[in-house]
Amino acid sequence: MTTGIDPDEVRRHLEEALLVDTVSITRPTGTAPLDPDTGLVGALPVEAVYEGPGAVLSGHGQVTAEGIVGRQWLDDTVSWYRLLTPLGAPLPARYDRIAVVAARSGNPATIGRTWQVLDPSEASTVELVRVTRLDEITPP
């Protein structure tokens, strides 16, 4: 006899085990201003979309996450990074900006880096957490 999987239980487990950082999603709302005196480009105007639990996983991080969860649940991707957020979080749109604003890790390699959403969130009949493909755009 096989035991059915309780999606709510799996969702809670994933959120508790993996969505341990605080991430922000911002949406560009215009173009960055140019300072005519200096010739430097200013900050891009953005609006806040979300700030709350989440995780940014690299390809290596995805393998680590699968070890924590005990099974493979993320397929290979063209993108090296993925954003995980709870299903109740707003849907990120293409070109939204992602940042980790607080990391639970004692060695937060994600702090100070910025990613851009490549595509809308992945869709699935059964969803456990929202998965969004990212591309790093951290300025040098």
Side-chain angles (χ1 to χ4, degrees):
M1 174 200 267
T2 60
T3 305
I5 295 174
D6 178 358
D8 290 330
E9 181 181 323
V10 174
R11 184 178 303 116
R12 279 190 300 278
H13 177 66
L14 285 173
E15 288 180 3
E16 291 171 8
L18 298 178
L19 307 186
V20 297
D21 292 341
T22 301
V23 299
S24 72
I25 302 172
T26 56
R27 185 162 293 146
T29 59
T31 57
L34 177 65
D35 183 332
D37 295 331
T38 65
L40 299 175
V41 177
L44 182 68
V46 296
E47 67 179 358
V49 174
Y50 172 76
E51 186 168 309
V56 173
L57 298 180
S58 67
H60 174 73
Q62 292 171 34
V63 171
T64 302
E66 289 167 357
I68 292 169
V69 174
R71 65 178 72 85
Q72 181 177 353
W73 61 280
L74 288 171
D75 290 333
D76 290 335
T77 178
V78 176
S79 168
W80 183 249
Y81 292 97
R82 287 190 177 179
L83 169 68
L84 306 182
T85 52
L87 295 179
L91 284 168
R94 185 175 281 132
Y95 308 122
D96 280 358
R97 303 288 174 98
I98 310 300
V100 176
V101 295
R104 187 167 105 183
S105 165
N107 184 16
T110 54
I111 297 291
R113 297 167 85 169
T114 307
W115 293 267
Q116 179 173 275
V117 173
L118 291 176
D119 291 312
S121 178
E122 296 176 6
S124 176
T125 300
V126 177
E127 292 184 305
L128 301 173
V129 294
R130 182 162 290 122
V131 180
T132 306
R133 292 183 290 156
L134 305 174
D135 187 31
E136 186 171 6
I137 58 169
T138 303

